[in-house]
Amino acid sequence: MLMAMAVMMTGCENNFDAKIYGSLMQGQYPSTESEYVSYMMTCYMPFNTTFTYTINDGTGMHGWYIATGGDIRFFDSTSDIMAPGYSRCNGEWLQLSKADYENCIHYWRGWVSDDSSPNHFMKTAEITRFTEIISVLEKAPEEVLSSEKKNSLLGEARLCRGMMLYYLLHVYGPVPVILDPALVFDDMAQRTTVRPTLEQMCSYVYDDLSYAAENAPEIQTDKGRYTRDYARFCLMRHCLNEGSHMTGYYDKGLQMFNELKGKYELFKGGANPCADLYKNANKFNCEIIMAVSCDPLADGSPKHGNANILSMCTVPWDASDRDPNGNPTVFYPQNGGWQAFYNVAKKFYDGFEDKDLRKRLIVTEWWTKSGEKITPNDLGTKWDGYICNKFPIETSGSFQGTDIPIARWADALLMFAELSVRKTNAAPSADAVDAVNQVRRRAGLGDLSGSDISSAEGFLNAILTERGHELFYEGCRKIDLIRFNRYARDTKKVKGLVPTRQYVPLPNYAIEAARANGCELDQYYTRPDWDFDRSQAQGM
């Protein structure tokens, strides 16, 4: 800035005087309500679907919902949904599809353009930034921000921070973070942080989401901005995941469900409601609690809004939008994708009941651009697994404008049923059974069998199956399997491989930096019951 001012004041034009129209001096921004709102909106950046974003210094990061590197890559492709991508993947795409995390220790500090090191650990620094933003909001003078407006903005910011903590927990296990505003600019505190305990990390997430559930806006005029109901959904999910070791979490999760109840219902429109609920014409329908709002004209650039790029990662490049007779295929009018980096494993597909409408969202044969028909007989050579067509192709561009649901009523119903039984550890209530059956009926299926509902164990197993069939490629599966302590076993059944780890290890540079500051940062983390799951899988 000083150099620019010097140039302006010493320019060759005689009457060219410097004019200072404002200032960006530290401590003077934000100073108006609109500036506080803009400042808070920084917290949304990791939750967009542009290819990269940058909050702090350094290279751009991938957000949590971008298909190339976010929740799908870490929680779906590494699970029993996907077969290893031997014929269509390479490098880290192949490694993660095999649930092999050993190379993750070598991941770089940022994100490289070819996606060879999908590293989210740098988001721990963004937690520090969020803490600073929250502190600034808390100190906003009342003559600029009313208490109601301040609490509302804080609700959004803490919901974003809570979900950042949530996703980091499920990628790496507990991670070192700074949540005390007094330590934001403390260099020594930043250099000497260590992993918190699981209980501490769970409390961090719980506290932020609880605040958001009480203070975030009830209604947003801007689609895609977070609401109190979304906070309730997120808190419900967190309480379900951690209720087995955190006192009162199951009760809190059920409370959140009751606060959502009556506001949402399963979408039942169209010939196949399980497909039509995702279409552009049905954005933010009665089932959607929250979604990433996408634009059909988006191209992955931060300037052009969010895009749903999943089809680029599921459809092979050589897939044709027309068959040899000129008839449109399911890929019309997009044509081929980037590559089939993600697939639906045949063994996972075979687990669907024949009449399940959700089964129709999976493509089991396709035509190449050269006129060759690829069938299940070609699995293992010309493709690795079936094609996910959950978000139907509707536009001719490379990306789709279909919204990406991140909170649906179907998920809430299944979570309610599971919470109810985990709390009592007894056979399910009529309400819990009905919640699951509602989801099944919408999928064209009959009610659960007597054996499914006669015991807590049988009901929980039925729920896990139902969640897989309802929520595949929505970023939930690995988290679900770990909650059931079946990640190793169920993944082995499909992939033929035991996951090398339960969580991604921290990169070497973080371990080395901590050691240089006299601090030991544990590179690996597992939950206490992982050894049993893994040993059982190895014996299969």
Side-chain angles (χ1 to χ4, degrees), residues 30-46:
S31 60
T32 66
E33 180 176 312
S34 62
E35 288 179 351
Y36 277 104
V37 173
S38 296
Y39 197 52
M40 181 280 297
M41 291 297 292
T42 302
C43 298
Y44 278 86
M45 293 179 69

Side-chain angles (χ1 to χ4, degrees), residues 509-524:
Y509 71 79
I511 307 303
E512 293 164 359
R515 191 169 294 135
N517 288 288
C519 183
E520 284 299 321
L521 184 60
D522 294 331
Q523 189 156 35
Y524 301 99

Side-chain angles (χ1 to χ4, degrees), residues 353-492:
E353 297 173 54
D354 288 341
K355 295 182 179 179
D356 197 328
L357 295 175
R358 298 166 299 194
K359 196 174 186 179
R360 301 180 188 176
L361 310 184
I362 301 170
V363 177
T364 59
E365 58 183 29
W366 49 283
W367 291 96
T368 69
K369 294 174 182 176
S370 62
E372 180 184 7
K373 189 174 186 178
I374 307 298
T375 72
N377 293 330
D378 298 306
L379 288 171
T381 55
K382 297 178 181 179
W383 58 335
D384 304 293
Y386 299 140
I387 298 172
C388 172
N389 192 41
K390 195 167 196 177
F391 301 98
I393 293 171
E394 298 185 81
T395 57
S396 59
S398 297
F399 312 137
Q400 298 299 308
T402 317
D403 284 353
I404 302 171
I406 52 179
R408 292 198 286 123
W409 184 240
D411 192 354
L413 286 170
L414 295 174
M415 287 196 293
F416 160 72
E418 187 178 341
L419 279 162
S420 300
V421 171
R422 289 195 181 279
K423 178 186 174 183
T424 62
N425 197 30
S429 66
D431 286 343
V433 173
D434 180 64
V436 178
N437 284 336
Q438 285 184 52
V439 177
R440 288 179 55 82
R441 292 172 198 144
R442 197 264 298 274
L445 300 174
D447 291 350
L448 292 170
S449 68
S451 61
D452 288 332
I453 63 176
S454 61
S455 66
E457 181 181 6
F459 188 61
L460 289 173
N461 288 337
I463 288 175
L464 183 60
T465 298
E466 202 63 37
R467 287 187 63 82
H469 295 168
E470 179 67 30
L471 300 167
F472 68 94
Y473 279 112
E474 293 188 40
C476 302
R477 189 59 175 173
K478 182 186 174 188
I479 298 172
D480 286 348
L481 291 174
I482 288 178
R483 182 173 69 252
F484 279 77
N485 198 33
R486 281 171 45 178
Y487 177 48
R489 284 168 284 176
D490 285 25
T491 301
K492 170 70 179 296

Side-chain angles (χ1 to χ4, degrees), residues 275-290:
D276 287 2
L277 77 89
Y278 300 102
K279 289 184 175 179
N280 282 315
N282 300 316
K283 290 189 173 192
F284 280 89
N285 59 64
C286 60
E287 182 168 341
I288 303 300
I289 300 170
M290 185 50 60

Side-chain angles (χ1 to χ4, degrees), residues 68-90:
T68 49
D71 56 346
I72 286 176
R73 189 162 181 178
F74 281 90
F75 304 138
D76 284 326
S77 75
T78 58
S79 76
D80 64 343
I81 289 174
M82 179 176 168
Y86 292 108
S87 69
R88 292 277 171 171
C89 295
N90 53 52

